[in-house]
Amino acid sequence: MIGIEEATEIVLSKIRDWGVEDLPLEKAFGRLLREPLIADRDFPPYTRVTMDGIAIAYSAFASGQRQFPIEGLQAAGSPQKTLQNPGHCLEVMTGAVLPKGTDTVIPYEEVRIREGVAEVIPDEFKQGKNAHLQGLNRKRGELIVPSGKWISAAELGVAATVGKSFLAVAAWPKVCVITTGDELVEVDAVPLPHQIRKSNAYTIQALLREEGIEADLYHMADKPEEISSVLNSCLDKYDVLVLSGGVSKGKLDFVPEALADLGVEKLFHRVRQRPGKPFWFGESQERNTVVFALPGNPVSSFMCTCRYLKPYLRKSLGLSATNPLSACLAEDFSFAPSLTYFLQVRLEYTQDGRVLAYPVAGKGSGDLANLCDAQAFLELPEDRTDFFKGECFPCWPYVSPEKAFSKKQ
Ligand code: AMP
Ligand code: MG
C-alpha cells in the first residue's frame, strides 16, 4: 500500500490538457482566462468628469473671478462641447467628457446658482480637481490582465470594458460521476429498511461545480455485466470518470476487475490514509481517460475529491496543485494507526491572521452529517500519533472563509 505523497505524485503525473474554448462573457465567471486582456482604449478613454457641478477654466478662477455665467450643459453620453468664453462655465454631469477649454470641475455643493450665473463659494480650489485624466489608469495597448488568471468579478469588469463579448477560457474535461451499490435508491424514493438514498452523486457533483465543472451522473447496480457496460460507454464519452463505491474488498466490489477487463490500467489501489483507504486510480491510455474510483463511504469520497481530484484538475490547467493553506490545531489530538489521518476540523480565522483548526472528528467515514459541522480536512502525518495544540498542518477546506464565517444573526 502506498502513502499519500506517492499517490499524489501518481495522480498528478497523469494530468491532461483539455484545450481552450470561447465562452460568452456572462458564462466566463469562475473560469481560467486563456488570453490576455489588453486595453483597446485608454483607461479612462476621455478626461472624465467625476462630480456633478460646473466646469471652468481654472485661469479665470485664479485671476479672482467667482461669478461664472452658465453657457450650457455637458451631459454624460454627449459629444464633447467647447466652452466658448473662458470666463463662463458649463454645467457638467458625472461621466461626461470634460468640455474643451475647461480643466476643473467645481461640484454643485460648492456653488450657488442664481439666474443663470454660478457663484463659486470657496476662496481656494485646486486646479484639475474632479477631472479624471484620459489614460491616467492605463494606456491603450497596455496589458491589464494576463492570460492564466481566474476570472473573478474584477476581471469580468475589465473584459467588458475592453469589448470582449467572448473570452477564451481553459476548457474543462468532460466528467461523470458514477455511483454503485444495490442498497442505493433515488433521493425522492422512500427507502426500504435495508436501503439508503444516494448522496455521493450530489456531493461530488457539487464539489466539482465549485470548479465550474458540470458532471453527469450515472448509477450502476452491483452486477458485473451492468458495471462493464456503463463503464465501457462512459470511458468513450468522458475524459475523467469519478466512481463511488465498489472498490473495497467485498464480494460484490466488482469495479477494479471490470476496469481491468476494459483495459484501464491500475496505477494504484489502496492508500495509507483514513478515510479513503480503498481509493483506486488508473487510466486508459487507449481512450485517453483517467479514472478516480473512490470508496463509497461518504466522507471518504468527499475527502478524496478535495484532496486528489481537485488538485488534479487544477494542475491540468497549469496551476499549482499544492495547497497553500495550513491551519493550526486549537486542541491536542491523537490518532494511533500508521495512516495519514484527514481530520475534520472547524476553522476559525483569528484577528491576527491565523487559521485555527478545531477537531470535529465525527464517527467514521460513514458520518456524512459530521461534514456539515466541519469545514475542512487537516492532514495529519502518518508517522506520528500525538498532535499538539499550536502545531500547523496542511488544510483542505471545502467551505470558503467568508461562508464559514457567516453565522445566523
Ligand atoms: P462501498 O465502497 O461500495 O463498499 O460502500 C461503502 C459504504 O458507503 C456503504 O455503507 C455504502 O452503502 C455507502 N455508499 C456507497 N455509495 C454511496 C452513495 N452514493 N451515497 C451514500 N452512501 C454510499
Ligand atoms: Mg458498495
Side-chain angles (χ1 to χ4, degrees):
M1 197 171 14
I2 60 172
I4 61 154
E5 277 83 17
E6 199 181 336
T8 305
E9 204 175 293
I10 293 172
V11 167
L12 296 183
S13 72
K14 295 298 168 188
I15 54 168
R16 300 279 197 278
D17 180 358
W18 296 292
V20 173
E21 63 178 318
D22 274 328
L23 285 186
L25 181 64
E26 59 275 24
K27 298 252 188 262
F29 176 71
R31 301 293 293 267
L32 194 76
L33 191 62
R34 278 289 191 244
E35 63 174 319
L37 297 182
I38 292 172
D40 66 329
R41 307 164 76 199
D42 287 341
F43 273 45
Y46 49 83
T47 296
R48 186 178 70 93
V49 171
T50 66
M51 296 281 277
D52 300 320
I54 59 164
I56 59 164
Y58 189 79
S59 53
F61 181 86
S63 65
Q65 190 185 326
R66 292 295 177 269
Q67 308 272 340
F68 294 84
I70 299 170
E71 271 185 14
L73 184 137
Q74 173 82 65
S78 296
Q80 187 182 35
K81 292 191 169 170
T82 301
L83 187 68
Q84 302 299 329
N85 181 328
H88 290 180
C89 71
L90 280 161
E91 284 185 83
V92 288
M93 305 296 124
T94 303
V97 186
L98 188 73
K100 234 183 237 159
T102 72
D103 57 4
T104 304
V105 173
I106 303 178
Y108 279 134
E109 292 81 341
E110 316 221 39
V111 167
R112 243 188 315 259
I113 297 183
R114 246 184 262 122
E115 291 166 9
V117 177
E119 181 193 353
V120 179
I121 302 162
D123 268 346
E124 288 181 16
F125 204 82
K126 221 173 142 230
Q127 184 172 18
K129 237 186 141 187
N130 305 318
H132 185 184
L133 286 183
Q134 177 173 346
L136 180 73
N137 305 356
R138 302 295 165 99
K139 293 281 185 244
R140 180 178 169 200
E142 210 177 302
L143 173 69
I144 314 267
V145 182
S147 178
K149 271 202 92 185
W150 286 111
I151 303 171
S152 75
E155 283 74 28
L156 274 188
V158 169
T161 299
V162 302
K164 302 290 297 182
S165 52
F166 281 81
L167 284 175
V169 304
W172 273 128
K174 290 204 274 307
V175 183
C176 67
V177 178
I178 312 171
T179 50
T180 70
D182 286 347
E183 73 279 30
L184 302 175
V185 296
E186 294 301 331
V187 176
D188 56 5
V190 179
L192 296 171
H194 52 276
Q195 295 176 323
I196 56 166
R197 296 191 183 96
K198 54 170 93 132
S199 60
N200 292 354
Y202 302 100
T203 50
I204 298 171
Q205 191 182 45
L207 287 168
L208 291 170
R209 202 172 278 149
E210 282 173 356
E211 304 292 316
I213 293 178
E214 242 351 280
D216 295 336
L217 303 183
Y218 295 88
H219 183 74
M220 355 188 247
D222 290 324
K223 293 185 187 60
E225 319 76 61
E226 183 170 334
I227 292 176
S228 288
S229 90
V230 173
L231 289 180
N232 191 30
S233 87
C234 286
L235 283 167
D236 277 339
K237 276 201 261 177
Y238 295 93
D239 302 304
V240 178
L241 266 51
V242 187
L243 277 61
S244 128
V247 288
S248 303
K249 291 193 163 160
K251 288 235 161 88
L252 304 178
D253 289 336
F254 298 122
V255 167
E257 205 181 313
L259 286 166
D261 288 347
L262 291 165
V264 183
E265 186 195 352
K266 177 183 86 176
L267 296 166
F268 62 75
H269 186 192
R270 295 162 69 77
V271 180
R272 288 194 307 274
Q273 61 182 9
R274 184 175 297 165
K277 194 152 115 189
F279 177 20
W280 188 105
F281 178 73
E283 75 169 333
S284 164
Q285 285 189 355
E286 188 195 340
R287 307 200 234 191
N288 199 22
T289 303
V290 291
V291 180
F292 289 78
L294 312 178
N297 267 312
V299 183
S300 309
S301 57
F302 198 103
M303 186 285 285
C304 288
T305 303
C306 296
R307 176 63 179 76
Y308 297 97
L309 178 54
K310 285 192 176 212
Y312 172 82
L313 295 168
R314 297 219 166 143
K315 185 150 191 222
S316 291
L317 293 191
L319 302 171
S320 161
T322 47
N323 189 353
L325 192 70
S326 67
C328 309
L329 271 175
E331 294 161 14
D332 293 348
F333 188 81
S334 295
F335 179 76
S338 293
L339 302 168
T340 300
Y341 187 55
F342 287 92
L343 171 67
Q344 292 176 68
V345 292
R346 184 173 57 74
L347 297 180
E348 190 180 300
Y349 298 82
T350 67
Q351 293 290 337
D352 59 357
R354 285 169 309 139
V355 186
L356 298 183
Y358 289 87
V360 271
K363 305 214 165 37
S365 53
D367 187 358
L368 79 163
N370 195 66
L371 286 168
C372 303
D373 293 335
Q375 293 146 354
F377 295 97
L378 199 66
E379 187 178 305
L380 304 179
E382 61 178 336
D383 56 355
R384 289 180 47 188
T385 297
D386 297 311
F387 305 92
F388 300 105
K389 180 178 171 174
E391 285 190 286
C392 306
F393 300 98
C395 177
W396 302 86
Y398 53 88
V399 183
S400 67
E402 70 271 25
K403 287 187 180 148
F405 266 144
S406 16
K407 297 204 178 95
K408 262 193 275 177
Q409 289 275 322

